[in-house]
Amino acid sequence: VRRAAAARALRGGGAGAPRAASGAAAAQLRRRLESELQEIRGAGTWKSERVIASRQGPHLRLAGGGAGIINFCANNYLGLSSHPEVIRAAVEALEKFGAGLSSVRFICGTQSIHKDLEEKIACFHQREDAILYASCFDANAGIFEALLTPEDAVLSDELNHASIIDGIRLCKANKYRYKHMDMQDLEAKLKEAQKHRLRLVATDGAFSMDGDIAPLREICQLAQKYDALVFIDECHATGFLGPNGRGTDELLGVMDKVTIVNSTLGKALGGAAGGYTTGPKPLIDLLRQRSRPYLFSNSLPPAVVGCASKALDLLMESNAIAQSMAAKTQRFRSKMTAAGFTISGKDHPICPVMLGDARLASVMAEDMLNRGIYVIGFSYPVVPKGKARIRVQISAVHSDEDIDRCVDAFTEVGRKHGALS
């Protein structure tokens, strides 16, 4: 009753009612923003946020009555975001350690569960040490500036994640961008960068928009030839790529050749939040002293730490969940290809259905939802102009029936909108 009364009071213009800033400058800003927003709508690239009224999982319920929806757009690769043991671990951590520390680690200290999780992450990746961040975006924002100076160079794949690009922008190193997964171009850039003190090759392990996997063997060979270090972002690989789910470096047999791994706790490892860097202990020690996102962000909430810790326990106890991904991914990719669709990438649960036109991707995604399949269209600026797609993501907890229903819906919708002949 009190909650309903409070909501009515807000709607009725009480103390918490929204107020628009007054003045000529504020009015000018509003006009400019509204014009820009209208341009986005007109281009067919407006991104709506659907409201979920249930737990994350292969099947979910949307606010407003959408029930029985099959979810194919989450990063919940292993289905652990609603795993009962993961949820129980979060509750136990919340009850024992509270909601949070209300400050950053060097001021208010840290808790034993944070140190335990960092040790567990380092052990999982077979590295010396690890450091937690509020997100992997923060981990990527914090590493390049702390590690690289104007005497150094960083060589980045042109399709690296936005967080890597932003992190590199913050540092003062000499910047080289090589063509996507083009080893000839990388070698040319490495030759050019020989004049610098330290050279760091930075790449996504698995590229989130295209579902392709970096050629780490060749990258590491070039790095060794030209005396460079290798950094990989493993957000779309940790937990399910490689025999034990350790990522692309394990998948391609170069764990001893990759110096630095950044990844997330917010995808396969529980799906809550958080990120990390793992690598040489002196580097981790330096990040604790110099990395701005670490120094100026609150510690991860204990419930989040509990989730991720239990997710890692489940992975290290058995690789069965990680290994279940391959057959389900292959089932979707082969059936969609047979239906006539072009699927980008290879052997990754990220399966971009390439459509080209932004409006087509948006309309088809909406029509898929009407058929009980939750997918999202991606268009500029998330992907290059003319390369719009619907990104489908397979989870270990999708059934074969779920996958077949998705393919059938795509085929029906594709024919309706002219994406299939």
Side-chain angles (χ1 to χ4, degrees), residues 81-334:
S81 62
S82 54
H83 192 287
E85 290 187 52
V86 172
I87 294 172
R88 188 159 52 249
V91 172
E92 290 172 358
L94 181 64
E95 290 177 341
K96 183 175 181 180
F97 292 97
L101 283 167
S102 304
S103 189
V104 301
R105 288 173 68 165
F106 83 93
I107 296 176
C108 277
T110 190
Q111 291 171 314
S112 57
I113 51 172
H114 294 84
K115 300 303 295 181
D116 291 344
L117 178 55
E118 287 170 338
E119 290 178 14
K120 199 173 289 186
I121 289 168
C123 176
F124 178 71
H125 285 283
Q126 298 179 358
R127 261 63 181 193
E128 293 177 14
D129 202 356
I131 179 174
L132 289 171
Y133 286 88
S135 67
C136 190
F137 206 112
D138 277 354
N140 286 340
I143 188 165
F144 300 103
E145 184 181 25
L147 178 62
L148 303 174
T149 74
E151 297 180 66
D152 305 317
V154 57
L155 303 95
S156 175
D157 187 294
E158 65 179 351
L159 292 189
N160 275 340
H161 190 268
S163 58
I164 298 176
I165 294 169
D166 285 0
I168 289 173
R169 284 173 177 163
L170 289 170
C171 80
K172 296 179 180 178
N174 299 274
K175 302 167 181 68
Y176 297 80
R177 187 174 67 173
Y178 64 91
K179 295 174 185 175
H180 181 48
M181 301 201 308
D182 186 327
M183 295 300 95
Q184 287 186 330
D185 194 40
L186 174 57
E187 183 165 22
K189 298 294 193 301
L190 280 167
K191 287 178 181 177
E192 189 180 346
Q194 287 301 291
K195 57 193 173 187
H196 304 298
R197 181 186 64 173
L198 183 151
R199 291 156 296 285
L200 178 69
V201 180
T203 181
D204 278 326
F207 291 85
S208 61
M209 287 299 114
D210 293 283
D212 46 10
I213 297 170
L216 280 184
R217 290 195 192 100
E218 293 81 359
I219 289 173
C220 290
Q221 287 169 0
L222 287 173
Q224 188 170 14
K225 181 178 179 179
Y226 292 99
D227 195 24
L229 303 173
V230 177
F231 160 98
I232 55 174
D233 178 312
E234 290 285 81
C235 286
H236 292 276
T238 299
F240 56 93
L241 286 188
N244 299 290
R246 290 190 169 92
T248 52
D249 57 349
E250 183 189 45
L251 176 72
L252 298 172
V254 291
M255 291 186 72
D256 59 333
K257 302 290 193 302
V258 173
T259 306
I260 306 164
V261 174
N262 275 14
S263 195
T264 183
L265 306 172
K267 292 182 172 59
L269 301 184
Y276 58 85
T277 296
T278 185
K281 189 177 188 313
L283 169 64
I284 304 305
D285 289 343
L286 179 68
L287 293 175
R288 294 192 195 281
Q289 303 302 313
R290 297 267 180 87
S291 180
R292 291 168 67 83
Y294 175 82
L295 289 169
F296 297 102
S297 296
N298 273 20
S299 301
L300 275 179
V304 171
V305 176
C307 282
S309 186
K310 176 52 69 173
L312 279 170
D313 288 342
L314 293 171
L315 274 177
M316 289 192 281
E317 286 169 9
S318 170
N319 66 354
I321 304 177
Q323 291 303 303
S324 71
M325 293 295 303
K328 295 181 180 186
T329 298
Q330 178 58 30
R331 184 182 188 92
F332 179 80
R333 284 180 170 272
S334 61

